[in-house]
Amino acid sequence: MAVSATAKGAAKHRREGLLRRMGQAKLLYLLLLPSMAFVLAFSYIPAISAIYHSFTIWSGAQSRWYGLGNFRQMLRDPYLNQSWVNMIKLTLANIVKMIVPLINAVFIYRLTSDRWQYRYRVLFILPAIIPGVVGALLWVNFLGLNGLINEVLRGTGLGNVARPWLGNFDYALYALMFVGFPWSGGTTILFYLAGLMNIPNELIDAARIDGVNGWQRFWHLELPLVMGQVKLFLVLTVIGNIQGFEGVLIMTNGGPGMATMVPGLHMYNAATQRQQMGYACAIGTFLFLLIFGLTYLNLKYVRSTVEFTS
């Protein structure tokens, strides 16, 4: 009985202490309320509405309960099935592209001059100030029939290779993979550099004393210690490719035919062109569950081989 009374007293004391601290910080809670209201109004409520309407036939005005009908339609939709294949190919290509900024970051990190490190950081980050829409439109011109790439091919005697890359059924998807060449990274390099610069100098000095060469130093020291950044960008790359479609919309609109269609753009077209709002919500709900599942698996099971904490 005495132990029970003591436990109840301790719990009551903790509750009183929490309420007292909340009272002392009441101004902070009040300041958070407007932001929380906007988050609820523009993030949580629309998301909950989308999940609900994914089980309905909804034109945007009136809705009728449809159960799992929209999800069964997804399984029978040949255009959506093709868009999954395209998305997987684009995602794999963008994962491979992550190697280039990592290599550039290692090269910058190994420069002995702090001044030149700074200069190269500035040069690599400058392209990031170009808006994404502007960059996509530039690449539309580069890849056009009379664009820069075809003019270079004609100028080097390879005019027979020139073609409207984004308008060709066989090459349009690969042309999208080529966009952004040489994929130097922009802000990605800064994150990798931050991880590299966090490596203790003692480890670098010990590696030099042991006589490791440049490749051994990268593979056994630098790469394991920046796996946190690699893991982060892997998650962001996968998420961005699953839900993103802006670049495809601007450059090809999913064409020619369905050669470059992706699930996000198919969802957008279902909602805006065919007024199939319920079906679009079902696709969006499935994309959300897919992203959530992949992110959970990555965070839980994909571990860095080495983790350093200062």
Side-chain angles (χ1 to χ4, degrees):
M1 292 292 293
V3 174
S4 176
T6 302
K8 290 181 180 179
K12 180 180 179 182
H13 179 73
R14 285 196 298 271
R15 286 196 299 270
E16 291 175 350
L18 175 62
L19 292 175
R20 183 169 60 254
R21 292 195 299 273
M22 291 179 64
Q24 293 171 349
K26 57 181 178 296
L27 179 60
L28 298 178
Y29 287 101
L30 290 175
L31 292 174
L32 284 172
L33 283 178
S35 297
M36 196 65 230
F38 282 116
V39 170
L40 287 172
F42 295 105
S43 294
Y44 287 100
I45 292 177
I48 295 171
S49 173
I51 293 173
Y52 168 76
H53 285 104
S54 67
F55 298 96
T56 67
I57 296 177
W58 183 36
S59 63
Q62 295 180 342
S63 63
R64 177 168 57 86
W65 187 256
Y66 194 37
L68 297 175
N70 287 322
F71 296 95
R72 287 193 291 267
Q73 182 181 344
M74 288 172 56
L75 297 175
R76 301 189 300 266
D77 189 340
Y79 303 114
L80 182 61
N81 293 334
Q82 179 60 42
S83 72
W84 290 119
V85 175
N86 295 338
M87 182 204 72
I88 292 172
K89 291 180 179 179
L90 289 171
T91 301
L92 292 175
N94 284 322
I95 289 174
V96 172
K97 292 177 186 178
M98 292 171 53
I99 298 173
V100 179
L102 176 59
I103 293 173
N104 289 334
V106 172
F107 288 161
I108 295 173
Y109 169 66
R110 293 189 183 182
L111 291 175
T112 56
S113 170
D114 293 339
R115 179 178 300 177
W116 278 103
Q117 278 191 355
Y118 173 77
R119 289 173 178 173
Y120 275 109
R121 285 202 303 268
V122 172
L123 289 174
F124 275 111
I125 199 64
L126 278 178
I129 67 176
I130 300 175
V133 174
V134 175
L137 292 174
L138 286 173
W139 276 97
V140 169
N141 290 324
F142 291 162
L143 295 165
L145 182 59
N146 297 313
L148 176 64
I149 293 176
N150 283 335
E151 290 300 323
V152 171
L153 291 172
R154 295 186 185 105
T156 55
L158 298 174
N160 59 319
V161 180
R163 52 180 44 85
W165 299 99
L166 293 174
N168 187 288
F169 281 89
D170 297 325
Y171 296 101
L173 188 65
Y174 298 103
L176 287 180
M177 296 178 187
F178 186 76
V179 168
F181 181 83
W183 317 303
S184 56
T187 55
T188 309
I189 287 183
L190 297 184
F191 283 93
Y192 285 141
L193 269 173
L196 290 167
M197 291 180 174
N198 193 45
I199 298 175
N201 292 328
E202 293 81 1
L203 292 179
I204 303 298
D205 294 337
R208 288 172 179 162
I209 293 172
D210 290 339
V212 300
N213 58 36
W215 171 251
Q216 292 171 332
R217 172 177 163 182
F218 170 75
W219 188 253
H220 296 290
L221 179 61
E222 293 167 341
L223 180 60
L225 290 175
V226 296
M227 282 305 295
Q229 283 77 11
V230 173
K231 180 179 175 182
L232 170 64
F233 280 107
L234 178 62
V235 173
L236 295 179
T237 298
V238 172
I239 291 175
N241 279 272
I242 291 176
Q243 67 182 13
F245 63 90
E246 299 85 354
V248 178
L249 173 64
I250 294 169
M251 300 182 70
T252 65
N253 197 25
M258 299 293 293
T260 60
M261 182 61 67
V262 292
L265 182 56
H266 190 60
M267 174 188 68
Y268 174 79
N269 290 338
T272 60
Q273 297 181 7
R274 301 189 296 274
Q275 303 303 313
Q276 297 176 327
M277 300 291 289
Y279 184 52
C281 288
I283 297 175
T285 299
F286 182 80
L287 291 176
F288 161 74
L289 294 174
L290 179 62
I291 292 170
F292 180 83
L294 290 175
T295 304
Y296 173 79
L297 290 175
N298 180 78
L299 294 176
K300 186 172 180 64
Y301 297 109
V302 179
R303 302 287 184 180
S304 301
T305 55
V306 178
E307 292 185 358
F308 171 77
T309 55
S310 55

